[in-house]
Amino acid sequence: AQRVTQPEKLLSVFKGAPVELKCNYSYSGSPELFWYVQYSRQRLQLLLRHISRESIKGFTADLNKGETSFHLKKPFAQEEDSAMYYCALRGSGGFKTIFGAGTRLFVKA
Amino acid sequence: DGGITQSPKYLFRKEGQNVTLSCEQNLNHDAMYWYRQDPGQGLRLIYYSQIVNDFQKGDIAEGYSVSREKKESFPLTVTSAQKNPTAFYLCASSFSGNTEAFFGQGTRLTVV
């Protein structure tokens, strides 16, 4: 069965500290992995996807098929990074996208 | 102004009544989705549609129904059979293939 697990409901860090939001998945095949972000009073929007291997707003995420993980990382957190982050999975060639429970990141000044 | 629009933003209904949530997009997207967002549970997929006149059940389809008569529209009906309908509902759309989903602002449904 497809499953996305985000073990942390809340993550609080100081400005300038490194941050890592964990995401583990379960899927029998080659999945497409995404990170979505929801800032306060804004729509849920794509942050990055593993296939593009890009860095957005200083965030990166590497797909580790051995550990079935797709953790989101940023070396120096900023206050404007405070938001709700969702890890999502889509089966290759499919449309069904499932989401994790989300992690709320709070960056303190 | 392109985008995906959900209406209304807030909806109140009495228990036992059916209610329909609207979702419209002018992005020419093939696929559309409905998710339910509850605190601590993330987004759970209700229904999705890859093409006009076709749709598939998601993980929590019981008590819900949809239609896809037009490419631009994907309304969701919350029926009286849904045991716990009070929630925040999100609609999304995307092109086919490995592309991002674009989300609406959501509809908060409260059943009293």
Side-chain angles (χ1 to χ4, degrees):
Chain A
Q2 297 178 13
R3 184 177 298 164
V4 177
T5 303
Q6 293 179 251
E8 303 138 330
K9 288 186 178 180
L10 174 67
L11 188 61
S12 183
V13 301
F14 283 103
K15 177 182 175 181
V19 62
E20 180 179 70
L21 286 75
K22 291 184 169 52
C23 173
N24 290 91
Y25 67 89
S26 173
Y27 182 74
S28 56
S30 297
E32 313 286 358
L33 274 298
F34 306 82
W35 275 100
Y36 283 82
V37 61
Q38 189 169 29
Y39 300 103
S40 179
R41 299 181 183 177
Q42 293 188 28
R43 301 177 184 224
L44 192 63
Q45 59 187 289
L46 179 71
L47 179 61
L48 55 80
R49 71 194 82 179
H50 91 272
I51 197 170
S52 58
R53 303 183 66 83
E54 56 194 347
S55 173
I56 303 294
K57 298 183 178 181
F59 284 99
T60 59
D62 291 320
L63 179 61
N64 186 322
K65 292 186 178 181
E67 296 182 358
T68 59
S69 68
F70 189 56
H71 303 327
L72 183 68
K73 301 177 184 180
K74 185 169 182 176
F76 307 104
Q78 303 299 315
E79 288 181 76
E80 55 265 30
D81 295 329
S82 296
M84 192 75 177
Y85 291 81
Y86 291 96
C87 183
L89 175 152
R90 177 185 295 175
S92 57
F95 287 84
K96 182 179 176 180
T97 301
I98 60 171
F99 287 78
T103 298
R104 182 166 295 283
L105 175 63
F106 182 56
V107 181
K108 299 176 283 189
Chain B
D1 185 23
I4 179 165
T5 304
Q6 290 184 242
S7 62
K9 192 173 182 179
Y10 299 98
L11 191 54
F12 294 88
R13 278 295 181 268
K14 291 184 178 180
E15 196 171 336
Q17 288 183 335
N18 291 357
V19 61
T20 298
L21 283 61
S22 171
C23 179
E24 304 277 334
Q25 54 95 4
N26 60 4
L27 300 167
N28 200 32
H29 284 167
D30 305 299
M32 297 188 74
Y33 315 79
W34 274 105
Y35 291 91
R36 172 179 170 141
Q37 189 176 31
D38 295 286
Q41 297 195 55
L43 281 70
R44 291 183 291 168
L45 184 62
I46 304 173
Y47 269 98
Y48 63 106
S49 168
Q50 301 176 27
I51 195 171
V52 174
N53 293 322
D54 187 47
F55 47 82
Q56 287 76 40
K57 292 182 178 180
D59 299 316
I60 55 165
E62 185 176 351
Y64 299 98
S65 66
V66 293
S67 62
R68 187 86 187 276
E69 297 177 1
K70 298 186 299 181
K71 188 175 186 178
E72 302 79 17
S73 179
F74 191 43
L76 173 74
T77 297
V78 184
T79 74
S80 56
Q82 168 50 234
K83 295 179 181 177
N84 187 20
T86 293
F88 189 64
Y89 292 88
L90 279 172
C91 180
S93 67
S94 73
F95 287 116
S96 58
N98 179 28
T99 60
E100 68 180 283
F102 289 81
F103 284 83
Q105 290 277 36
T107 294
R108 185 166 297 282
L109 172 66
T110 303
V111 175
V112 296

